[in-house]
């Protein structure tokens, strides 16, 4: 691993750890004054992770999909992007970040356990269909992970009597995200 990539990777892990702590504080201890800071940390972490992926792509000469490390980093990045798109549309779902950011942190921890080197693609892997397969696989499993986080959030919220309308919307969005994951999985196969 290139020293710049390693530095950016561990910086993104640190930022996701801080983001996870901030979101947990906001939503478990009602520290709403930390929410703006937590959002900024999350955006900084995603930008840092995007830099890791871009640098990896540039150094390896292909999109990062050949190793488990690359798959875990790409999938966690895609999951956080989906989370941001969801929250942009539904502001009430921002609490899902208390589950999504720790999941992202776990995925990056999993990625860190692998030996990380650069290998050129073999001629059999240079087909366009492989790119389609891998990209749609990353998208589908990221959607499934977000759907799982939304399901856990649903289970947490269902005990609140005041959250019935929010639960209905959450259930609808969760269903749509899972269906999106199933469709993209079908394309990837």
């Amino acid at each position: 691993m290139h020293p710049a990539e390693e530095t950016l990777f561990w910086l993104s892990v640190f930022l996701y750890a801080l983001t996870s702590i901030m979101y947990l504080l906001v939503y478990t201890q009602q520290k709403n004054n930390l929410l703006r800071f937590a959002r900024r940390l999350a955006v900084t972490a995603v930008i840092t992770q995007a830099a890791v992926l871009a640098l990896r792509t540039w150094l390896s000469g292909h999109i990062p999909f050949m190793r488990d490390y690359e798959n875990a980093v790409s999938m966690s990045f895609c999951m956080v992007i989906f989370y941001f798109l969801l929250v942009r549309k539904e502001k009430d779902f921002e609490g899902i970040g208390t589950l999504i950011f720790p999941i992202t942190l776990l995925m990056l921890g999993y990625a860190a356990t692998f030996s990380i080197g650069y290998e050129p693609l073999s001629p059999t892997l240079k087909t366009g269909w492989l790119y389609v397969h891998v990209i749609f696989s990353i998208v589908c499993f990221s959607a499934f992970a977000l759907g799982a986080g939304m399901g856990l959030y649903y289970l947490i919220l269902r005990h609140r009597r005041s959250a019935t309308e929010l639960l209905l919307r959450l259930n609808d969005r969760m269903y749509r995200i899972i269906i999106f994951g199933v469709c993209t999985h079908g394309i990837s196969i």
Side-chain angles (χ1 to χ4, degrees), residues 53-83:
L53 289 170
L55 186 59
R56 183 79 179 178
T57 300
W58 181 65
L59 291 171
S60 66
H62 57 81
I63 63 171
F65 66 81
M66 196 165 155
R67 297 175 170 258
D68 288 336
Y69 163 80
E70 296 168 340
N71 288 327
V73 173
S74 299
M75 200 176 318
S76 62
F77 175 75
C78 190
M79 181 180 60
V80 173
I81 293 297
F82 283 167
Y83 165 75

Side-chain angles (χ1 to χ4, degrees), residues 52-147:
V52 169
L53 289 170
L55 186 59
R56 183 79 179 178
T57 300
W58 181 65
L59 291 171
S60 66
H62 57 81
I63 63 171
F65 66 81
M66 196 165 155
R67 297 175 170 258
D68 288 336
Y69 163 80
E70 296 168 340
N71 288 327
V73 173
S74 299
M75 200 176 318
S76 62
F77 175 75
C78 190
M79 181 180 60
V80 173
I81 293 297
F82 283 167
Y83 165 75
F84 282 137
L85 292 173
L86 176 71
V87 168
R88 185 173 183 206
K89 191 165 189 142
E90 297 277 355
K91 298 280 188 213
D92 295 337
F93 295 169
E94 193 161 18
I96 297 169
T98 58
L99 300 165
I100 295 301
F101 293 116
I103 291 170
T104 302
L105 190 59
L106 288 173
M107 290 175 77
L108 291 177
Y110 171 74
T113 63
F114 292 99
S115 65
I116 305 151
Y118 302 105
E119 292 179 18
L121 287 178
S122 66
T124 57
L125 297 177
K126 291 184 179 178
T127 175
W129 287 111
L130 184 65
Y131 287 100
V132 170
H133 166 72
V134 170
I135 289 170
F136 277 98
S137 293
I138 288 170
V139 167
C140 97
F141 288 114
S142 299
F144 289 151
L146 180 60

